[in-house]
Amino acid sequence: MKKIEFKGLKFLMVVVVIFIFLALFDFNNIPNILDKFTSMMYKIIPIFALVIAITALINYFLKPKQIMKYFGEDSGKKGVFYAIIGGVLSHGPMYAWYPMLDDMRKHGLKFGLIATFMYARAVKIPLLPFMIGLFGVTFTIVVNIYILIFAFLQGKIINILIKEEKNEISVSDRQK
Amino acid sequence: MKENRIDKQKQPTFLMAVKKATISFFSFSPMILAVIGLVAIFQTYVTPSMLSEFFGHGVALDIFDGTFIGAISSGNGAISYVVAEGLKSHGVSTYALISFILAWTTLSFTHLPAEASVFGAKFTTYRNILTFLCTLIIAYLSVVTQGALL
């Protein structure tokens, strides 16, 4: 059986050290921190299940070649469209989606589409009533249109930046 | 070559796909625990009343402060609206409120180590700088556009 390669162990160690430091010097706040930690865990568990389900469905229904077609170098407008829709519909914190994005990246998902997906997440459909209550309907519509435009632009810029770097690397490789 | 290799990969059974997705997800569990732990620590020490003191220094600074404070704050997106509601009652401008909400949902200093280890330092740097700039621009443009429409 393939051994699991855990990611973020060093990061976890750093957070544990911070926690131990706080436990030694500010113990009064520890129950507060633990309370927030457990309440976040409870809220996020259904999202974990959703992410695992979506990743499994993508692995099952889309072959690597299809993932490359929809989200890879030649995905074009369709890729942007799916990234925006995915970002708008995705729930929960960003880090819960890292495993799925990482999995898809190994199959050719473009960096630009990851950036588009991440920024499109600023459109939160369930929270639109809060936004309307705070800013009004017109402002809410304007902001969300701008978010989608800038999500698209961000993806384009990231693609250009990372492609240029790849080109520079390949030119220097050839010179060697 | 790569195309041929990809072509030859077989479609997994559904059980295999679920197993692969579960293993892939659990490999990220230390990172997810670390991020949640860090967010819990931040939420304990950074309170909304502390945040309201940063605003009221003109449009440019309010947008910048809103973006910066949104980026250092973390948690559920719904909480950003509750905090923004509180900030509004303290007279904080719409420029600052919208930049705060956008930064809360798209930027997070506590997620940076995790994002960098998954997608690489370069992508994380580019994305976060671009997101920061986009948030500043959207906050400004949205208020100006609304003013022009009404």
Side-chain angles (χ1 to χ4, degrees):
Chain A
M1 198 179 152
K2 201 183 165 188
K3 204 179 164 189
I4 300 177
E5 282 178 31
F6 286 108
K7 291 171 184 171
L9 281 170
K10 282 181 191 165
F11 182 29
L12 181 63
M13 290 301 288
V14 171
V15 176
V16 169
V17 169
I18 295 171
F19 192 82
I20 293 169
F21 181 82
L22 291 173
L24 291 173
F25 296 100
D26 189 19
F27 189 76
N28 289 344
N29 267 324
I30 293 297
N32 235 339
I33 294 169
L34 287 177
D35 196 39
K36 285 187 164 64
F37 181 86
T38 45
S39 93
M40 267 188 272
M41 282 300 286
Y42 276 124
K43 279 180 196 161
I44 213 172
I45 283 169
I47 305 208
F48 289 166
L50 179 72
V51 172
I52 290 172
I54 292 174
T55 312
L57 289 173
I58 288 172
N59 284 337
Y60 182 66
F61 286 109
L62 293 179
K63 284 181 185 173
K65 196 183 174 188
Q66 285 169 308
I67 294 178
M68 274 186 78
K69 184 184 160 195
Y70 294 127
F71 301 103
E73 290 301 327
D74 305 316
S75 56
K77 286 173 193 166
K78 267 188 186 173
V80 176
F81 177 75
Y82 290 134
I84 286 178
I85 295 293
V88 171
L89 296 178
S90 66
H91 284 281
M94 191 60 240
Y95 53 83
W97 296 89
Y98 289 168
M100 187 194 83
L101 293 173
D102 186 49
D103 203 52
M104 288 177 74
R105 198 169 62 89
K106 284 171 190 160
H107 294 118
L109 171 64
K110 279 195 291 189
F111 274 115
L113 293 181
I114 299 176
T116 299
F117 174 87
M118 286 179 165
Y119 206 76
R121 283 172 45 82
V123 177
K124 300 261 179 215
I125 293 172
L127 300 180
L128 285 180
F130 287 101
M131 200 179 227
I132 292 169
L134 205 59
F135 301 111
V137 177
T138 313
F139 190 81
T140 303
I141 294 169
V142 169
V143 168
N144 285 293
I145 290 171
Y146 276 130
I147 291 170
L148 297 180
I149 293 169
F150 278 84
F152 167 75
L153 290 176
Q154 235 186 77
K156 287 279 169 202
I157 296 169
I158 290 276
N159 275 341
I160 291 166
L161 289 171
I162 290 182
K163 201 177 263 177
E164 273 184 5
E165 243 167 47
K166 270 187 190 168
N167 289 342
E168 277 171 25
I169 291 165
S170 59
V171 166
S172 62
D173 279 350
R174 262 182 262 140
Q175 282 170 347
K176 280 175 191 173
Chain B
M1 273 293 270
K2 192 181 172 190
E3 282 283 313
N4 287 338
R5 206 176 65 233
I6 289 167
D7 272 342
K8 281 173 189 169
Q9 287 181 20
K10 285 178 189 169
Q11 185 154 347
T13 64
F14 187 68
L15 199 68
M16 270 167 69
V18 172
K19 197 176 161 189
K20 195 183 161 204
T22 311
I23 290 172
S24 162
F25 187 86
F26 276 100
S27 69
F28 280 81
S29 54
M31 183 184 291
I32 290 168
L33 283 174
V35 172
I36 296 174
L38 207 55
V39 171
I41 293 168
F42 264 81
Q43 281 187 357
T44 306
Y45 289 97
V46 183
T47 61
S49 59
M50 279 164 68
L51 299 179
S52 65
E53 290 173 20
F54 287 92
F55 299 104
H57 309 289
V59 172
L61 264 180
D62 269 7
I63 293 176
F64 186 85
D65 289 347
T67 308
F68 184 77
I69 292 164
I72 60 167
S73 314
S74 297
N76 190 304
I79 301 169
S80 69
Y81 287 91
V82 177
V83 177
E85 191 101 50
L87 293 173
K88 194 182 180 187
S89 67
H90 281 85
V92 172
S93 69
T94 308
Y95 291 105
L97 293 179
I98 194 62
S99 57
F100 172 77
I101 290 171
L102 284 181
W104 183 297
T105 47
T106 55
L107 286 164
S108 179
F109 290 167
T110 52
H111 298 178
L112 282 180
E115 189 178 331
S117 73
V118 178
F119 304 110
K122 272 178 193 160
F123 169 78
T124 305
T125 311
Y126 287 149
R127 190 193 79 80
N128 280 280
I129 291 172
L130 279 174
T131 300
F132 196 90
L133 294 174
C134 287
T135 304
L136 298 177
I137 298 166
I138 291 176
Y140 182 75
L141 285 180
S142 301
V143 179
V144 171
T145 308
Q146 190 203 28
L149 288 173
L150 294 176

